[in-house]
Amino acid sequence: MSDGIMSKAATMEIPISSNGDTGSLPEDDGLEQDLQQVMVSGPNLNETSIVSGGYGGTAEGIIPTSTIKGSGLHQPHPSPAVGGEEVVRGIAVEKFDIVKKWGINTYKCTKQLISERFGRGSRTVDLELETQIELLRETKRKYECVLQLARALTNHFYSLVQTQHALGDAFADLSQKSPELQEEFGYNAETQKLLCKNGETLLGAVNFFVSSINTLVNKTMEDTLMTVKQYETARLEYDAYRTDLEELSMGPRDASTLCRLDAAQSQFQSHKDKYEKLRADVAIKLKFLEENKIKVMHKQLLLFHTAISAYFAGNQQQLEQTLKQFNIKLKTPGAEKPSWLEEQ
């Protein structure tokens, strides 16, 4: 960068480094995904109030619907046709302005993205934050695997309990109809009935585990990753407008260029503020997510271990005590659904 002021804006005001890091994704796949991310959020042209300024517009550009309708008491009375044409024309101009500014923003971001991918441009990197983000994504993938396996265990064990229930009914029926083997069929029926009861109790615990992990992965972690995506988009926009300002700063300083330079400086500052706010938001959410994850997993892993151990040790009392300890309530007998089934 030839301009000393711009050098300070890119390095000193933001305590992070700029380099040509192209990320860990393969060039083709990563570039395609990022381009889709850039292009997906097009301008919203269906708002009741039309906002001039497009992306990141302010309230100064809003035309309230009341000014369009008018009171009709203190104004001249143009013909309805002429008034309607003016309103339509004004809305069309506003919508065109939105599309135009969205297109400019998309062009700048796409240019910056391609430049980064092919190593020709610099990108702003917060190494500590991006390491935490990548760790979160990896943790989410691993927890999703645990969730999938726990659901499979639940389904398989449910089939076992259903089979034990049917087998117990068959033994009980044969005990009634086979006097010579009544006792043998009878205690086998009781054994299967007890196993079935303990199995439903275990399934209640496992399903509670599944439900809690599902909430952690698909709600809590996903909410943080949505903020991360907003941050990554803001980072790309920030670098795009930073690059644009740097290029203008190296050009001639005539009246036209100075005017464009002032506008570029203003846009750069706006995107810088947005980027820094989202960076702070992500840092806070990551901190609280980590604390919440440890708290939730400590409880759920203890539950899972205790319930599984009690069941396979044949300790019915400990198994029931585990459910009481974690406030897990089973449905009463005769309910339409087994007590342990997760609501999908």
Side-chain angles (χ1 to χ4, degrees), residues 240-290:
Y241 283 88
R242 173 182 57 80
T243 300
D244 189 48
L245 182 59
E246 290 171 1
E247 290 175 353
L248 283 173
S249 299
M250 292 186 291
R253 296 303 180 94
D254 54 32
S256 174
T257 303
L258 288 174
C259 182
R260 291 173 58 196
L261 192 60
D262 288 342
Q265 179 65 51
S266 175
Q267 290 175 328
F268 164 77
Q269 186 62 45
S270 174
H271 287 285
K272 176 177 179 286
D273 293 342
K274 179 182 176 183
Y275 163 74
E276 290 183 336
K277 179 184 182 302
L278 281 166
R279 184 178 62 172
D281 289 347
V282 168
I284 292 171
K285 284 201 171 188
L286 286 171
K287 179 178 181 294
F288 283 117
L289 174 61
E290 182 65 18

Side-chain angles (χ1 to χ4, degrees), residues 129-146:
L129 191 62
E130 293 195 13
T131 299
Q132 292 176 5
I133 290 170
E134 185 52 38
L135 180 60
L136 170 58
R137 288 188 168 123
E138 180 64 22
T139 300
K140 184 171 184 286
R141 285 191 291 268
K142 291 179 178 179
Y143 277 37
E144 285 170 340
C145 181
V146 169

Side-chain angles (χ1 to χ4, degrees), residues 63-79:
I63 303 176
T65 53
S66 60
T67 62
I68 295 176
K69 294 178 181 178
S71 64
L73 296 177
H74 305 288
Q75 297 177 358
H77 300 277
S79 65

Side-chain angles (χ1 to χ4, degrees), residues 171 175 182-192:
F171 284 150
S175 176
Q182 182 177 7
E183 184 178 350
E184 289 83 351
F185 278 126
Y187 59 64
N188 272 284
E190 288 299 319
T191 299
Q192 293 302 316

Side-chain angles (χ1 to χ4, degrees), residues 1-36:
M1 200 186 321
S2 63
D3 195 305
I5 296 176
M6 282 308 305
S7 177
K8 291 181 180 179
T11 59
M12 295 183 64
E13 293 182 4
I14 303 177
I16 47 185
S17 61
S18 297
N19 58 33
D21 181 18
T22 58
S24 58
L25 288 171
E27 273 194 3
D28 293 341
D29 293 344
L31 181 58
E32 182 178 355
Q33 290 178 19
D34 289 339
L35 284 173
Q36 289 174 352

Side-chain angles (χ1 to χ4, degrees), residues 43 45 54 93-105:
L45 303 181
V93 169
E94 293 287 352
K95 288 186 176 182
F96 174 78
D97 189 48
I98 293 172
V99 173
K100 177 183 175 183
K101 291 187 177 182
W102 171 79
I104 292 172
N105 184 76

